[in-house]
Amino acid sequence: MNIPDRARGRPARAKLDGMGSSGATPGPPLGGPSAQGRQAGGTPRAALAELLAGNRRFVSGQPVHGHDVTAAAAAASGDQQPYAVVLGCIDSRVPLEAIFDQTFGAICVIRTGGHVLDRAVCGSIEYVVGQLGVPLVMVLGHERCGAVEAAVDALRSGVRPGGSLAHLVDEIAPAVTEAGLNDPAVHPLAIRRHVRRTVRTLRADDLLVGPVAAGQVAVVGGLYDLATGEVALLDPA
Ligand SMILES: [Zn+2]
């Protein structure tokens, strides 16, 4: 996948729809964070390039952000200007700032079981996009997601969990059904479908649909590989 940006003199506000394949996506060259992607109000493509560059630094074992107290103080000294918001799972193996090698103030992070949406999540994303001017929303799923496995188990057993856990299962269940409950690969298939469903829901959000249609904001789906640390983009579906 090619990611045009300002530095290469390409259209900066091109739509991201249809970008990438379901496989691993070659990101930008390795290197330190660039200024263009680390700014609220930038383009979706520049923000995505910045995010994926951070993941490549992480995968290569060459992160540049150590999360020290100096960086924290610098980030806290002015208004925040994050350039992306990432919605991911609570899984302890997928710490979002670390896998994208981001420093304080760079990205907003929301994590729920199986990156399930609710009003608080949607309101938070609406705030980040509408009030902070962030141009990129990434929904990041991951392999072997326990929340998706719980949804598969619930559908197979016919036993719906109690409490608020039922909300997670209910929200993931359609992706499991689409993937095919009896398919041997139901887990990985459902994880991908659930990411895509979440992306579609956010693109249709009342306060996001306009900026998305105008190309000012992009909502993309990604998948994190627990073994390699790589983030691959998923095609919209
Ligand atoms: Zn998970």
Side-chain angles (χ1 to χ4, degrees):
M1 183 189 72
N2 194 23
I3 305 174
D5 61 23
R6 290 181 185 136
R8 300 187 191 106
R10 301 287 293 274
R13 192 153 284 194
K15 287 198 169 188
L16 292 168
D17 287 356
M19 65 193 301
S21 67
S22 57
T25 300
L30 291 176
S34 65
Q36 61 169 345
R38 290 183 295 133
Q39 197 169 354
T43 66
R45 280 184 183 271
L48 183 58
E50 181 74 18
L51 203 56
L52 293 177
N55 179 242
R56 291 179 71 80
R57 292 195 302 274
F58 169 72
V59 170
S60 71
Q62 298 175 308
V64 299
H65 294 300
H67 295 175
D68 61 28
V69 69
T70 307
S77 63
D79 293 337
Q80 64 165 330
Q81 287 192 312
Y83 70 88
V85 54
V86 182
L87 170 61
C89 182
I90 59 168
D91 194 296
S92 61
R93 299 165 295 181
V94 194
L96 298 178
E97 287 91 344
I99 69 170
F100 287 112
D101 186 32
Q102 299 297 306
T103 190
F104 299 94
I107 62 173
C108 294
V109 163
I110 303 169
R111 297 175 68 175
T112 64
H115 58 78
V116 163
L117 298 173
D118 62 14
R119 291 193 71 195
V121 172
C122 290
S124 300
I125 294 173
E126 290 170 358
Y127 171 79
V128 170
V129 169
Q131 302 300 312
L132 301 183
V134 165
L136 179 69
V137 181
M138 176 179 280
V139 178
L140 187 66
H142 69 97
E143 304 287 2
R144 291 183 280 147
C145 181
V148 173
E149 290 174 1
V152 171
D153 291 344
L155 287 177
R156 282 182 172 164
S157 67
V159 178
R160 186 169 177 260
S164 296
L165 184 54
H167 175 67
L168 299 187
V169 167
D170 291 347
E171 290 297 304
I172 298 171
V176 175
T177 302
E178 285 180 9
L181 196 54
N182 296 320
D183 193 311
V186 62
H187 285 103
L189 291 174
I191 286 165
R192 286 159 176 78
R193 285 185 176 274
H194 179 51
V195 169
R196 289 169 170 139
R197 288 178 61 91
T198 308
V199 167
R200 285 200 300 270
T201 300
L202 286 173
R203 284 177 178 166
D205 178 275
D206 284 348
L207 298 189
L208 299 181
V209 66
V212 167
Q216 297 166 339
V217 172
V219 184
V220 301
L223 195 68
Y224 179 72
D225 188 320
L226 288 171
T228 67
E230 277 188 80
V231 171
L233 294 179
L234 295 180
D235 284 327

